[in-house]
mmCIF file of all heavy atoms in Angstrom:
data_model
loop_
_atom_site.group_PDB
_atom_site.id
_atom_site.type_symbol
_atom_site.label_atom_id
_atom_site.label_comp_id
_atom_site.label_asym_id
_atom_site.label_seq_id
_atom_site.Cartn_x
_atom_site.Cartn_y
_atom_site.Cartn_z
ATOM 1 N N GLU A 1525 3.696 12.748 9.087
ATOM 2 C CA GLU A 1525 3.656 13.954 8.261
ATOM 3 C C GLU A 1525 4.148 13.558 6.849
ATOM 4 O O GLU A 1525 5.203 12.964 6.719
ATOM 5 C CB GLU A 1525 4.648 15.004 8.860
ATOM 6 C CG GLU A 1525 4.280 15.507 10.224
ATOM 7 C CD GLU A 1525 5.304 16.481 10.766
ATOM 8 O OE1 GLU A 1525 5.326 17.620 10.177
ATOM 9 O OE2 GLU A 1525 6.049 16.114 11.646
ATOM 10 N N ASN A 1527 5.915 14.670 4.563
ATOM 11 C CA ASN A 1527 6.905 15.619 4.108
ATOM 12 C C ASN A 1527 8.285 14.922 3.967
ATOM 13 O O ASN A 1527 9.303 15.612 3.931
ATOM 14 C CB ASN A 1527 6.995 16.860 4.951
ATOM 15 C CG ASN A 1527 7.343 16.523 6.410
ATOM 16 O OD1 ASN A 1527 7.592 15.349 6.747
ATOM 17 N ND2 ASN A 1527 7.370 17.525 7.250
ATOM 18 N N ASP A 1558 -1.412 16.357 7.446
ATOM 19 C CA ASP A 1558 -1.081 17.266 6.328
ATOM 20 C C ASP A 1558 -1.533 18.700 6.656
ATOM 21 O O ASP A 1558 -2.367 19.282 5.996
ATOM 22 C CB ASP A 1558 -1.726 16.764 5.010
ATOM 23 C CG ASP A 1558 -3.270 16.651 5.107
ATOM 24 O OD1 ASP A 1558 -3.727 16.589 6.264
ATOM 25 O OD2 ASP A 1558 -3.941 16.682 4.096
ATOM 26 N N THR A 1559 -0.899 19.241 7.713
ATOM 27 C CA THR A 1559 -1.290 20.591 8.119
ATOM 28 C C THR A 1559 -0.254 21.645 7.707
ATOM 29 O O THR A 1559 -0.392 22.805 8.035
ATOM 30 C CB THR A 1559 -1.414 20.648 9.713
ATOM 31 O OG1 THR A 1559 -0.168 20.196 10.259
ATOM 32 C CG2 THR A 1559 -2.542 19.767 10.138
ATOM 33 N N ASN A 1560 0.807 21.212 7.005
ATOM 34 C CA ASN A 1560 1.830 22.139 6.547
ATOM 35 C C ASN A 1560 2.040 22.017 5.055
ATOM 36 O O ASN A 1560 2.798 21.218 4.575
ATOM 37 C CB ASN A 1560 3.159 21.893 7.260
ATOM 38 C CG ASN A 1560 4.199 22.959 6.939
ATOM 39 O OD1 ASN A 1560 3.964 23.860 6.133
ATOM 40 N ND2 ASN A 1560 5.418 22.834 7.530
ATOM 41 N N PRO A 1561 1.302 22.829 4.239
ATOM 42 C CA PRO A 1561 1.374 22.705 2.814
ATOM 43 C C PRO A 1561 2.714 23.056 2.230
ATOM 44 O O PRO A 1561 2.982 22.775 1.035
ATOM 45 C CB PRO A 1561 0.319 23.675 2.301
ATOM 46 C CG PRO A 1561 0.212 24.728 3.459
ATOM 47 C CD PRO A 1561 0.449 23.942 4.698
ATOM 48 N N GLU A 1562 3.595 23.605 2.997
ATOM 49 C CA GLU A 1562 4.914 24.048 2.476
ATOM 50 C C GLU A 1562 5.780 22.936 2.084
ATOM 51 O O GLU A 1562 6.551 23.053 1.098
ATOM 52 C CB GLU A 1562 5.567 24.867 3.610
ATOM 53 C CG GLU A 1562 6.868 25.612 3.187
ATOM 54 C CD GLU A 1562 7.361 26.507 4.261
ATOM 55 O OE1 GLU A 1562 6.732 26.661 5.335
ATOM 56 O OE2 GLU A 1562 8.456 27.005 4.066
ATOM 57 N N LYS A 1563 5.718 21.787 2.744
ATOM 58 C CA LYS A 1563 6.684 20.682 2.495
ATOM 59 C C LYS A 1563 6.044 19.374 2.017
ATOM 60 O O LYS A 1563 6.743 18.448 1.841
ATOM 61 C CB LYS A 1563 7.457 20.415 3.779
ATOM 62 C CG LYS A 1563 8.282 21.630 4.280
ATOM 63 C CD LYS A 1563 8.988 21.329 5.566
ATOM 64 C CE LYS A 1563 9.771 22.529 6.066
ATOM 65 N NZ LYS A 1563 10.506 22.236 7.324
ATOM 66 N N GLU A 1564 4.754 19.366 1.817
ATOM 67 C CA GLU A 1564 4.077 18.106 1.484
ATOM 68 C C GLU A 1564 4.104 17.860 -0.023
ATOM 69 O O GLU A 1564 3.826 18.769 -0.817
ATOM 70 C CB GLU A 1564 2.673 18.145 2.027
ATOM 71 C CG GLU A 1564 2.651 18.170 3.545
ATOM 72 C CD GLU A 1564 1.321 18.734 4.103
ATOM 73 O OE1 GLU A 1564 0.445 19.026 3.333
ATOM 74 O OE2 GLU A 1564 1.249 18.846 5.332
ATOM 75 N N PHE A 1593 -10.596 20.106 8.585
ATOM 76 C CA PHE A 1593 -10.244 21.535 8.665
ATOM 77 C C PHE A 1593 -11.445 22.379 9.052
ATOM 78 O O PHE A 1593 -11.349 23.325 9.892
ATOM 79 C CB PHE A 1593 -9.679 22.072 7.360
ATOM 80 C CG PHE A 1593 -8.193 21.840 7.238
ATOM 81 C CD1 PHE A 1593 -7.531 22.225 6.054
ATOM 82 C CD2 PHE A 1593 -7.446 21.253 8.242
ATOM 83 C CE1 PHE A 1593 -6.164 21.986 5.939
ATOM 84 C CE2 PHE A 1593 -6.083 21.002 8.120
ATOM 85 C CZ PHE A 1593 -5.448 21.388 6.953
ATOM 86 N N SER A 1616 7.431 34.713 15.642
ATOM 87 C CA SER A 1616 7.818 33.371 15.938
ATOM 88 C C SER A 1616 9.112 33.306 16.730
ATOM 89 O O SER A 1616 9.276 32.474 17.672
ATOM 90 C CB SER A 1616 7.909 32.534 14.698
ATOM 91 O OG SER A 1616 8.895 33.070 13.796
ATOM 92 N N PHE A 1641 -9.317 36.673 14.380
ATOM 93 C CA PHE A 1641 -9.216 35.329 13.816
ATOM 94 C C PHE A 1641 -9.935 35.230 12.528
ATOM 95 O O PHE A 1641 -9.518 34.561 11.551
ATOM 96 C CB PHE A 1641 -9.731 34.320 14.875
ATOM 97 C CG PHE A 1641 -9.460 32.873 14.531
ATOM 98 C CD1 PHE A 1641 -8.148 32.467 14.165
ATOM 99 C CD2 PHE A 1641 -10.446 31.956 14.528
ATOM 100 C CE1 PHE A 1641 -7.888 31.169 13.875
ATOM 101 C CE2 PHE A 1641 -10.174 30.580 14.222
ATOM 102 C CZ PHE A 1641 -8.921 30.242 13.871
ATOM 103 N N ASP A 1643 -10.327 37.716 10.493
ATOM 104 C CA ASP A 1643 -9.474 38.432 9.532
ATOM 105 C C ASP A 1643 -8.336 37.538 9.070
ATOM 106 O O ASP A 1643 -7.907 37.584 7.928
ATOM 107 C CB ASP A 1643 -8.903 39.688 10.168
ATOM 108 C CG ASP A 1643 -10.010 40.757 10.389
ATOM 109 O OD1 ASP A 1643 -11.109 40.623 9.797
ATOM 110 O OD2 ASP A 1643 -9.746 41.727 11.166
ATOM 111 N N MET A 1644 -7.766 36.795 9.984
ATOM 112 C CA MET A 1644 -6.695 35.827 9.640
ATOM 113 C C MET A 1644 -7.210 34.831 8.573
ATOM 114 O O MET A 1644 -6.523 34.621 7.574
ATOM 115 C CB MET A 1644 -6.216 35.056 10.892
ATOM 116 C CG MET A 1644 -5.350 35.839 11.804
ATOM 117 S SD MET A 1644 -5.087 34.920 13.414
ATOM 118 C CE MET A 1644 -4.160 33.508 12.825
ATOM 119 N N LYS A 1645 -8.359 34.279 8.786
ATOM 120 C CA LYS A 1645 -8.965 33.330 7.877
ATOM 121 C C LYS A 1645 -9.210 33.930 6.503
ATOM 122 O O LYS A 1645 -9.047 33.313 5.448
ATOM 123 C CB LYS A 1645 -10.240 32.770 8.429
ATOM 124 C CG LYS A 1645 -10.941 31.726 7.537
ATOM 125 C CD LYS A 1645 -12.148 31.129 8.208
ATOM 126 C CE LYS A 1645 -13.355 32.051 8.078
ATOM 127 N NZ LYS A 1645 -13.992 31.963 6.728
ATOM 128 N N ASN A 1646 -9.582 35.178 6.511
ATOM 129 C CA ASN A 1646 -9.937 35.880 5.244
ATOM 130 C C ASN A 1646 -8.761 36.506 4.531
ATOM 131 O O ASN A 1646 -8.918 37.264 3.544
ATOM 132 C CB ASN A 1646 -11.060 36.920 5.464
ATOM 133 C CG ASN A 1646 -12.322 36.257 5.898
ATOM 134 O OD1 ASN A 1646 -12.587 35.135 5.541
ATOM 135 N ND2 ASN A 1646 -13.155 36.998 6.637
ATOM 136 N N GLY A 1647 -7.567 36.262 5.033
ATOM 137 C CA GLY A 1647 -6.354 36.788 4.361
ATOM 138 C C GLY A 1647 -6.048 38.223 4.565
ATOM 139 O O GLY A 1647 -5.369 38.844 3.774
ATOM 140 N N LYS A 1648 -6.643 38.849 5.618
ATOM 141 C CA LYS A 1648 -6.459 40.311 5.798
ATOM 142 C C LYS A 1648 -5.223 40.621 6.667
ATOM 143 O O LYS A 1648 -4.960 41.818 6.890
ATOM 144 C CB LYS A 1648 -7.756 40.881 6.470
ATOM 145 C CG LYS A 1648 -8.982 40.773 5.595
ATOM 146 C CD LYS A 1648 -10.204 41.377 6.306
ATOM 147 C CE LYS A 1648 -11.440 41.319 5.419
ATOM 148 N NZ LYS A 1648 -12.596 41.923 6.137
ATOM 149 N N ILE A 1649 -4.626 39.592 7.222
ATOM 150 C CA ILE A 1649 -3.398 39.840 8.058
ATOM 151 C C ILE A 1649 -2.220 39.136 7.398
ATOM 152 O O ILE A 1649 -2.372 37.968 6.942
ATOM 153 C CB ILE A 1649 -3.629 39.322 9.480
ATOM 154 C CG1 ILE A 1649 -4.874 40.027 10.152
ATOM 155 C CG2 ILE A 1649 -2.388 39.512 10.323
ATOM 156 C CD1 ILE A 1649 -5.176 39.556 11.534
ATOM 157 N N ASP A 1650 -1.088 39.784 7.368
ATOM 158 C CA ASP A 1650 0.073 39.214 6.675
ATOM 159 C C ASP A 1650 0.636 37.987 7.424
ATOM 160 O O ASP A 1650 0.497 37.886 8.696
ATOM 161 C CB ASP A 1650 1.162 40.250 6.549
ATOM 162 C CG ASP A 1650 0.857 41.337 5.500
ATOM 163 O OD1 ASP A 1650 -0.013 41.009 4.639
ATOM 164 O OD2 ASP A 1650 1.420 42.407 5.560
ATOM 165 N N GLU A 1651 1.276 37.126 6.701
ATOM 166 C CA GLU A 1651 1.888 35.968 7.275
ATOM 167 C C GLU A 1651 2.942 36.327 8.310
ATOM 168 O O GLU A 1651 3.749 37.222 8.065
ATOM 169 C CB GLU A 1651 2.557 35.128 6.113
ATOM 170 C CG GLU A 1651 3.033 33.775 6.524
ATOM 171 C CD GLU A 1651 3.444 32.921 5.270
ATOM 172 O OE1 GLU A 1651 2.777 33.036 4.235
ATOM 173 O OE2 GLU A 1651 4.434 32.196 5.382
ATOM 174 N N GLY A 1652 2.865 35.709 9.462
ATOM 175 C CA GLY A 1652 3.779 36.022 10.545
ATOM 176 C C GLY A 1652 3.371 37.143 11.471
ATOM 177 O O GLY A 1652 4.012 37.384 12.561
ATOM 178 N N ASP A 1653 2.297 37.870 11.138
ATOM 179 C CA ASP A 1653 1.846 38.987 11.939
ATOM 180 C C ASP A 1653 0.872 38.619 13.035
ATOM 181 O O ASP A 1653 0.532 39.391 13.906
ATOM 182 C CB ASP A 1653 1.222 40.055 11.056
ATOM 183 C CG ASP A 1653 2.264 40.893 10.307
ATOM 184 O OD1 ASP A 1653 3.477 40.670 10.588
ATOM 185 O OD2 ASP A 1653 1.914 41.729 9.461
ATOM 186 N N ALA A 1654 0.342 37.371 12.941
ATOM 187 C CA ALA A 1654 -0.643 36.960 13.985
ATOM 188 C C ALA A 1654 -0.691 35.425 14.049
ATOM 189 O O ALA A 1654 -0.522 34.758 13.045
ATOM 190 C CB ALA A 1654 -2.028 37.509 13.704
ATOM 191 N N THR A 1655 -0.982 34.960 15.244
ATOM 192 C CA THR A 1655 -1.228 33.526 15.481
ATOM 193 C C THR A 1655 -2.373 33.406 16.452
ATOM 194 O O THR A 1655 -2.655 34.358 17.207
ATOM 195 C CB THR A 1655 -0.008 32.746 16.067
ATOM 196 O OG1 THR A 1655 0.326 33.366 17.305
ATOM 197 C CG2 THR A 1655 1.149 32.826 15.084
ATOM 198 N N LEU A 1656 -3.005 32.217 16.472
ATOM 199 C CA LEU A 1656 -3.976 31.917 17.515
ATOM 200 C C LEU A 1656 -3.294 31.035 18.525
ATOM 201 O O LEU A 1656 -2.718 30.002 18.161
ATOM 202 C CB LEU A 1656 -5.166 31.208 16.912
ATOM 203 C CG LEU A 1656 -6.290 30.891 17.985
ATOM 204 C CD1 LEU A 1656 -6.993 32.178 18.447
ATOM 205 C CD2 LEU A 1656 -7.293 29.907 17.463
ATOM 206 N N VAL A 1670 0.924 27.539 20.073
ATOM 207 C CA VAL A 1670 0.170 28.101 18.903
ATOM 208 C C VAL A 1670 -0.781 27.032 18.398
ATOM 209 O O VAL A 1670 -0.451 25.874 18.234
ATOM 210 C CB VAL A 1670 1.157 28.501 17.801
ATOM 211 C CG1 VAL A 1670 0.435 28.914 16.519
ATOM 212 C CG2 VAL A 1670 2.029 29.658 18.282
ATOM 213 N N ALA A 1671 -2.001 27.499 18.047
ATOM 214 C CA ALA A 1671 -3.016 26.612 17.474
ATOM 215 C C ALA A 1671 -3.157 26.836 15.985
ATOM 216 O O ALA A 1671 -3.395 25.854 15.239
ATOM 217 C CB ALA A 1671 -4.348 26.861 18.177
ATOM 218 N N TYR A 1672 -3.030 28.062 15.511
ATOM 219 C CA TYR A 1672 -3.189 28.401 14.085
ATOM 220 C C TYR A 1672 -2.095 29.379 13.710
ATOM 221 O O TYR A 1672 -1.796 30.314 14.476
ATOM 222 C CB TYR A 1672 -4.541 28.963 13.781
ATOM 223 C CG TYR A 1672 -5.606 27.918 13.469
ATOM 224 C CD1 TYR A 1672 -6.338 27.320 14.441
ATOM 225 C CD2 TYR A 1672 -5.820 27.585 12.104
ATOM 226 C CE1 TYR A 1672 -7.315 26.366 14.119
ATOM 227 C CE2 TYR A 1672 -6.808 26.651 11.804
ATOM 228 C CZ TYR A 1672 -7.553 26.035 12.780
ATOM 229 O OH TYR A 1672 -8.490 25.104 12.438
ATOM 230 N N ARG A 1673 -1.585 29.221 12.465
ATOM 231 C CA ARG A 1673 -0.657 30.235 11.902
ATOM 232 C C ARG A 1673 -1.071 30.534 10.483
ATOM 233 O O ARG A 1673 -1.842 29.774 9.837
ATOM 234 C CB ARG A 1673 0.800 29.814 12.003
ATOM 235 C CG ARG A 1673 1.189 28.670 11.047
ATOM 236 C CD ARG A 1673 0.865 27.352 11.588
ATOM 237 N NE ARG A 1673 1.756 26.317 11.046
ATOM 238 C CZ ARG A 1673 1.303 25.067 10.774
ATOM 239 N NH1 ARG A 1673 0.054 24.751 10.988
ATOM 240 N NH2 ARG A 1673 2.146 24.162 10.306
ATOM 241 N N ILE A 1674 -0.637 31.609 9.953
ATOM 242 C CA ILE A 1674 -1.011 32.086 8.617
ATOM 243 C C ILE A 1674 0.035 31.595 7.622
ATOM 244 O O ILE A 1674 1.266 31.771 7.841
ATOM 245 C CB ILE A 1674 -1.065 33.646 8.547
ATOM 246 C CG1 ILE A 1674 -2.079 34.154 9.541
ATOM 247 C CG2 ILE A 1674 -1.443 34.086 7.092
ATOM 248 C CD1 ILE A 1674 -2.042 35.653 9.770
ATOM 249 N N LYS A 1675 -0.399 30.972 6.525
ATOM 250 C CA LYS A 1675 0.503 30.568 5.390
ATOM 251 C C LYS A 1675 -0.262 30.804 4.107
ATOM 252 O O LYS A 1675 -1.269 30.140 3.838
ATOM 253 C CB LYS A 1675 0.898 29.110 5.546
ATOM 254 C CG LYS A 1675 1.944 28.815 6.605
ATOM 255 C CD LYS A 1675 2.400 27.391 6.594
ATOM 256 C CE LYS A 1675 3.423 27.094 7.666
ATOM 257 N NZ LYS A 1675 4.741 27.709 7.340
ATOM 258 N N PHE A 1676 0.250 31.720 3.312
ATOM 259 C CA PHE A 1676 -0.396 31.992 2.053
ATOM 260 C C PHE A 1676 0.117 30.949 0.996
ATOM 261 O O PHE A 1676 0.877 31.323 0.063
ATOM 262 C CB PHE A 1676 -0.153 33.408 1.582
ATOM 263 C CG PHE A 1676 -0.821 34.461 2.451
ATOM 264 C CD1 PHE A 1676 -0.166 35.316 3.230
ATOM 265 C CD2 PHE A 1676 -2.262 34.511 2.443
ATOM 266 C CE1 PHE A 1676 -0.809 36.259 4.034
ATOM 267 C CE2 PHE A 1676 -2.911 35.442 3.232
ATOM 268 C CZ PHE A 1676 -2.197 36.285 4.019
ATOM 269 N N LEU A 1677 -0.271 29.716 1.168
ATOM 270 C CA LEU A 1677 0.141 28.648 0.294
ATOM 271 C C LEU A 1677 -1.064 27.793 0.010
ATOM 272 O O LEU A 1677 -1.884 27.497 0.888
ATOM 273 C CB LEU A 1677 1.199 27.773 0.936
ATOM 274 C CG LEU A 1677 2.616 28.406 1.134
ATOM 275 C CD1 LEU A 1677 3.425 27.482 2.005
ATOM 276 C CD2 LEU A 1677 3.292 28.623 -0.208
ATOM 277 N N PRO A 1678 -1.216 27.318 -1.252
ATOM 278 C CA PRO A 1678 -2.347 26.383 -1.531
ATOM 279 C C PRO A 1678 -2.013 25.043 -0.917
ATOM 280 O O PRO A 1678 -0.931 24.620 -0.771
ATOM 281 C CB PRO A 1678 -2.315 26.338 -3.053
ATOM 282 C CG PRO A 1678 -0.964 26.666 -3.479
ATOM 283 C CD PRO A 1678 -0.456 27.645 -2.412
ATOM 284 N N HIS A 1679 -3.111 24.395 -0.546
ATOM 285 C CA HIS A 1679 -3.001 23.021 0.020
ATOM 286 C C HIS A 1679 -3.289 21.998 -1.023
ATOM 287 O O HIS A 1679 -4.135 22.196 -1.884
ATOM 288 C CB HIS A 1679 -3.963 22.905 1.213
ATOM 289 C CG HIS A 1679 -3.827 21.660 2.048
ATOM 290 N ND1 HIS A 1679 -4.364 20.460 1.714
ATOM 291 C CD2 HIS A 1679 -3.150 21.465 3.208
ATOM 292 C CE1 HIS A 1679 -4.072 19.542 2.611
ATOM 293 N NE2 HIS A 1679 -3.307 20.132 3.577
ATOM 294 N N HIS A 1680 -2.591 20.841 -0.971
ATOM 295 C CA HIS A 1680 -2.720 19.845 -2.068
ATOM 296 C C HIS A 1680 -4.116 19.308 -2.125
ATOM 297 O O HIS A 1680 -4.529 18.712 -3.123
ATOM 298 C CB HIS A 1680 -1.702 18.697 -1.865
ATOM 299 C CG HIS A 1680 -2.036 17.833 -0.683
ATOM 300 N ND1 HIS A 1680 -1.925 18.219 0.633
ATOM 301 C CD2 HIS A 1680 -2.499 16.564 -0.671
ATOM 302 C CE1 HIS A 1680 -2.257 17.245 1.386
ATOM 303 N NE2 HIS A 1680 -2.629 16.234 0.655
ATOM 304 N N THR A 1682 -7.057 20.959 -0.281
ATOM 305 C CA THR A 1682 -8.106 21.954 -0.082
ATOM 306 C C THR A 1682 -7.910 23.216 -0.994
ATOM 307 O O THR A 1682 -8.705 24.152 -0.950
ATOM 308 C CB THR A 1682 -8.233 22.413 1.375
ATOM 309 O OG1 THR A 1682 -6.956 22.946 1.746
ATOM 310 C CG2 THR A 1682 -8.497 21.231 2.270
ATOM 311 N N GLY A 1683 -6.801 23.149 -1.760
ATOM 312 C CA GLY A 1683 -6.583 24.251 -2.697
ATOM 313 C C GLY A 1683 -6.335 25.545 -2.017
ATOM 314 O O GLY A 1683 -5.569 25.650 -1.038
ATOM 315 N N ASN A 1684 -7.025 26.638 -2.439
ATOM 316 C CA ASN A 1684 -6.843 27.974 -1.900
ATOM 317 C C ASN A 1684 -7.908 28.359 -0.823
ATOM 318 O O ASN A 1684 -8.109 29.539 -0.510
ATOM 319 C CB ASN A 1684 -6.832 29.020 -2.935
ATOM 320 C CG ASN A 1684 -5.583 28.888 -3.830
ATOM 321 O OD1 ASN A 1684 -4.459 28.856 -3.322
ATOM 322 N ND2 ASN A 1684 -5.769 28.791 -5.135
ATOM 323 N N LYS A 1685 -8.642 27.305 -0.329
ATOM 324 C CA LYS A 1685 -9.746 27.616 0.584
ATOM 325 C C LYS A 1685 -9.185 28.253 1.891
ATOM 326 O O LYS A 1685 -9.885 29.089 2.493
ATOM 327 C CB LYS A 1685 -10.494 26.340 0.915
ATOM 328 C CG LYS A 1685 -11.626 26.509 1.881
ATOM 329 C CD LYS A 1685 -12.434 25.213 2.123
ATOM 330 C CE LYS A 1685 -13.571 25.428 3.160
ATOM 331 N NZ LYS A 1685 -14.308 24.231 3.441
ATOM 332 N N TRP A 1686 -8.015 27.766 2.296
ATOM 333 C CA TRP A 1686 -7.519 28.230 3.585
ATOM 334 C C TRP A 1686 -6.147 28.964 3.465
ATOM 335 O O TRP A 1686 -5.371 28.578 2.615
ATOM 336 C CB TRP A 1686 -7.291 27.037 4.541
ATOM 337 C CG TRP A 1686 -8.536 26.294 4.865
ATOM 338 C CD1 TRP A 1686 -9.028 25.194 4.208
ATOM 339 C CD2 TRP A 1686 -9.485 26.588 5.865
ATOM 340 N NE1 TRP A 1686 -10.173 24.755 4.751
ATOM 341 C CE2 TRP A 1686 -10.515 25.620 5.820
ATOM 342 C CE3 TRP A 1686 -9.621 27.571 6.865
ATOM 343 C CZ2 TRP A 1686 -11.632 25.550 6.649
ATOM 344 C CZ3 TRP A 1686 -10.738 27.543 7.705
ATOM 345 C CH2 TRP A 1686 -11.675 26.556 7.618
ATOM 346 N N CYS A 1687 -5.984 29.955 4.284
ATOM 347 C CA CYS A 1687 -4.646 30.587 4.414
ATOM 348 C C CYS A 1687 -4.180 30.546 5.823
ATOM 349 O O CYS A 1687 -3.184 31.114 6.219
ATOM 350 C CB CYS A 1687 -4.637 32.006 3.852
ATOM 351 S SG CYS A 1687 -5.703 33.139 4.722
ATOM 352 N N ILE A 1688 -5.004 29.877 6.687
ATOM 353 C CA ILE A 1688 -4.563 29.588 8.072
ATOM 354 C C ILE A 1688 -4.554 28.080 8.231
ATOM 355 O O ILE A 1688 -5.469 27.365 7.741
ATOM 356 C CB ILE A 1688 -5.465 30.246 9.145
ATOM 357 C CG1 ILE A 1688 -6.923 29.855 8.921
ATOM 358 C CG2 ILE A 1688 -5.311 31.726 9.153
ATOM 359 C CD1 ILE A 1688 -7.856 30.272 10.129
ATOM 360 N N TYR A 1689 -3.545 27.563 8.921
ATOM 361 C CA TYR A 1689 -3.433 26.137 9.054
ATOM 362 C C TYR A 1689 -3.136 25.782 10.515
ATOM 363 O O TYR A 1689 -2.384 26.468 11.194
ATOM 364 C CB TYR A 1689 -2.287 25.601 8.172
ATOM 365 C CG TYR A 1689 -2.581 25.730 6.734
ATOM 366 C CD1 TYR A 1689 -2.057 26.778 5.938
ATOM 367 C CD2 TYR A 1689 -3.424 24.834 6.085
ATOM 368 C CE1 TYR A 1689 -2.364 26.928 4.595
ATOM 369 C CE2 TYR A 1689 -3.706 24.967 4.683
ATOM 370 C CZ TYR A 1689 -3.190 26.030 3.970
ATOM 371 O OH TYR A 1689 -3.504 26.137 2.629
ATOM 372 N N PRO A 1690 -3.787 24.711 11.018
ATOM 373 C CA PRO A 1690 -3.602 24.327 12.442
ATOM 374 C C PRO A 1690 -2.273 23.668 12.678
ATOM 375 O O PRO A 1690 -1.673 23.085 11.761
ATOM 376 C CB PRO A 1690 -4.727 23.361 12.670
ATOM 377 C CG PRO A 1690 -5.019 22.754 11.342
ATOM 378 C CD PRO A 1690 -4.729 23.819 10.292
ATOM 379 N N THR A 1691 -1.775 23.748 13.880
ATOM 380 C CA THR A 1691 -0.499 23.139 14.292
ATOM 381 C C THR A 1691 -0.749 21.719 14.822
ATOM 382 O O THR A 1691 -1.892 21.294 15.090
ATOM 383 C CB THR A 1691 0.176 23.929 15.401
ATOM 384 O OG1 THR A 1691 -0.710 23.932 16.585
ATOM 385 C CG2 THR A 1691 0.451 25.364 14.971
ATOM 386 N N TYR A 1692 0.329 20.959 15.003
ATOM 387 C CA TYR A 1692 0.249 19.622 15.562
ATOM 388 C C TYR A 1692 -0.373 19.660 16.956
ATOM 389 O O TYR A 1692 -1.251 18.853 17.250
ATOM 390 C CB TYR A 1692 1.640 18.982 15.643
ATOM 391 C CG TYR A 1692 1.654 17.641 16.320
ATOM 392 C CD1 TYR A 1692 1.513 16.464 15.560
ATOM 393 C CD2 TYR A 1692 1.783 17.519 17.695
ATOM 394 C CE1 TYR A 1692 1.507 15.232 16.166
ATOM 395 C CE2 TYR A 1692 1.765 16.252 18.293
ATOM 396 C CZ TYR A 1692 1.575 15.119 17.526
ATOM 397 O OH TYR A 1692 1.596 13.922 18.104
#
Side-chain angles (χ1 to χ4, degrees):
E1525 296 178 70
N1527 60 3
D1558 58 341
T1559 57
N1560 186 357
E1562 190 174 352
K1563 299 178 180 179
E1564 293 157 5
F1593 276 177
S1616 60
F1641 190 50
D1643 291 344
M1644 286 171 62
K1645 180 176 81 78
N1646 293 332
K1648 294 181 179 180
I1649 301 177
D1650 287 341
E1651 192 169 322
D1653 282 355
T1655 58
L1656 182 70
V1670 172
Y1672 271 88
R1673 72 277 205 216
I1674 302 167
K1675 285 184 180 289
F1676 291 113
L1677 290 170
H1679 190 275
H1680 72 289
T1682 59
N1684 291 309
K1685 179 178 178 180
W1686 299 93
C1687 62
I1688 55 171
Y1689 293 99
T1691 62
Y1692 176 92

